[in-house]
Amino acid sequence: MRERILLGDLPTQDADLLGRLTAYFDTLEDRLRQGQGWLIFNSGSDRGARIVAFILGRLNQYRPYFSYYHLPWRDFALHAYLSTVELPKDVPLLEQDEEDSPRRREYTIATSVATATSFHLKHADLVVLSNIHPSQFHETLVLSETATERTARRRATIALTPHDPWTLASAFAGADPSSTTWRRFYDAMHRTSLIAI
């Protein structure tokens, strides 16, 4: 009843989507067993914040029965940079350092954070990635790898982006002119997700 009252104050597009999300979360156990998630376009600023708040609110009702991990784009992009660019680049430099050098300590901390994030992205029952806005190749690479690995393991992903499908494809192409990462990401999400535009 409370959801219906809240939905009445929203634009029709948002009310429809939140109604569909309500049905999804009402049968979450079955959806997660199937690995079914969402790919939600046009969810920037206020609309995206409303949708993410709704999703996280519903997910809190299922703790501790299901694990979930929410990663806003800024944090995902930082993880992608650390794990694919910065940490590999530092390995040769560390060979020159002593065991307790500041650089080795920083590397150990950064590696621990990257490893923990990778673990959640691989193993959480549901991953929520919000405000997806790729602009670098390493971002598109890790995003497509995350989507394909989770799909292969029947792990659900909810991905929200401020872009429509065409501008998201263009954003991927700007970072990866081959469009390989876009095809891998979109194919994985399309196979296993409900789509909202």
Side-chain angles (χ1 to χ4, degrees):
M1 180 72 167
R2 184 168 179 258
E3 286 172 356
R4 287 191 188 127
I5 293 167
L6 293 174
L7 295 178
D9 297 332
L10 296 174
T12 303
Q13 181 184 22
D14 289 2
D16 177 65
L17 175 56
L18 293 181
R20 292 172 63 200
L21 283 168
T22 296
Y24 175 87
F25 283 107
D26 286 346
T27 57
L28 185 61
E29 184 176 357
D30 292 335
R31 306 294 183 133
L32 293 182
R33 193 177 303 115
Q34 297 166 17
Q36 187 181 68
W38 279 87
L39 177 54
I40 304 173
F41 294 99
N42 298 312
S43 56
S45 61
D46 293 342
R47 181 176 193 243
R50 278 194 304 273
I51 295 167
V52 169
F54 178 85
I55 290 169
L56 296 180
R58 287 302 305 262
L59 285 171
N60 276 332
Q61 297 171 1
Y62 287 99
R63 279 188 174 175
Y65 306 110
F66 304 112
S67 62
Y68 70 89
Y69 189 61
H70 173 225
L71 202 57
W73 181 251
R74 182 193 67 222
D75 298 336
F76 185 91
L78 179 60
H79 165 69
Y81 176 74
L82 270 177
S83 59
T84 62
V85 178
E86 191 62 30
L87 291 176
K89 180 183 76 173
D90 286 349
V91 170
L93 299 174
L94 293 174
E95 294 172 2
Q96 308 161 22
D97 290 358
E98 295 183 21
E99 279 298 315
D100 62 346
S101 71
R103 185 168 33 203
R104 275 189 183 258
R105 285 194 300 274
E106 288 173 9
Y107 182 85
T108 301
I109 292 168
T111 301
S112 297
V113 170
T115 301
T117 301
S118 293
F119 178 86
H120 290 300
L121 289 173
K122 287 179 184 170
H123 300 291
D125 294 318
L126 177 63
V127 164
V128 180
L129 300 174
S130 57
N131 203 33
I132 293 174
H133 183 69
S135 61
Q136 303 293 323
F137 177 71
H138 58 268
E139 296 168 357
T140 66
L141 179 65
V142 176
L143 185 57
S144 66
E145 287 175 351
T146 299
T148 55
E149 286 174 11
R150 289 187 62 77
T151 297
R153 300 178 71 238
R154 294 179 77 101
R155 298 284 189 197
T157 303
I158 297 178
L160 299 97
T161 179
H163 294 284
D164 61 40
W166 302 274
T167 58
L168 184 60
S170 294
F172 268 81
D176 174 18
S178 75
S179 293
T180 303
T181 54
W182 165 248
R183 283 192 301 273
R184 290 180 67 215
F185 171 76
Y186 186 76
D187 288 350
M189 294 301 295
H190 187 261
R191 276 199 312 274
T192 60
S193 301
L194 299 164
I195 296 180
I197 296 178

